[in-house]
Amino acid sequence: MSTGYLSRYFKSHLNVTVKEYLIAVRLKKERQDVLFSNYTILEIAYLHGLPNLKSFINAFKKVYHDTPAKYREKVRK
């Protein structure tokens, strides 16, 4: 299977790109760690393969409209 075919298949069947799908899956798992673990935000970013803290915070904020730390604080109250 070529990468081009896989990309077209994803887009036509799931209405998202492969990259968007992977980001969504990753963020779902990261959100679980933010809420239910005692890992630091930096540890969570590294555990899920993100290159740095800033990229994690930006991706998280784009979907959940808050930084991971603020989101954790709000939900845990």
Side-chain angles (χ1 to χ4, degrees):
M1 181 182 293
S2 72
T3 57
Y5 176 79
L6 179 64
S7 295
R8 287 188 302 278
Y9 183 87
F10 252 78
K11 189 67 173 171
S12 67
H13 286 82
L14 299 175
N15 284 335
V16 294
T17 65
V18 175
K19 184 177 179 179
E20 290 168 340
Y21 178 80
L22 290 174
I23 289 169
V25 169
R26 204 178 249 176
L27 278 172
K28 184 177 180 183
K29 293 180 183 286
E30 292 163 351
R31 180 182 172 271
Q32 293 297 316
D33 281 348
V34 167
L35 295 178
F36 302 113
S37 76
N38 290 322
Y39 290 126
T40 66
I41 303 303
L42 181 60
E43 289 172 327
I44 293 170
Y46 288 144
L47 283 172
H48 293 280
L50 291 161
N52 59 52
L53 186 58
K54 186 174 181 175
S55 62
F56 173 50
I57 290 172
N58 288 338
F60 194 94
K61 195 172 183 178
K62 185 176 182 180
V63 173
Y64 297 108
H65 309 290
D66 256 332
T67 65
K70 286 182 183 178
Y71 188 84
R72 176 185 268 177
E73 185 179 316
K74 282 182 185 178
V75 174
R76 284 189 174 179
K77 280 186 178 183

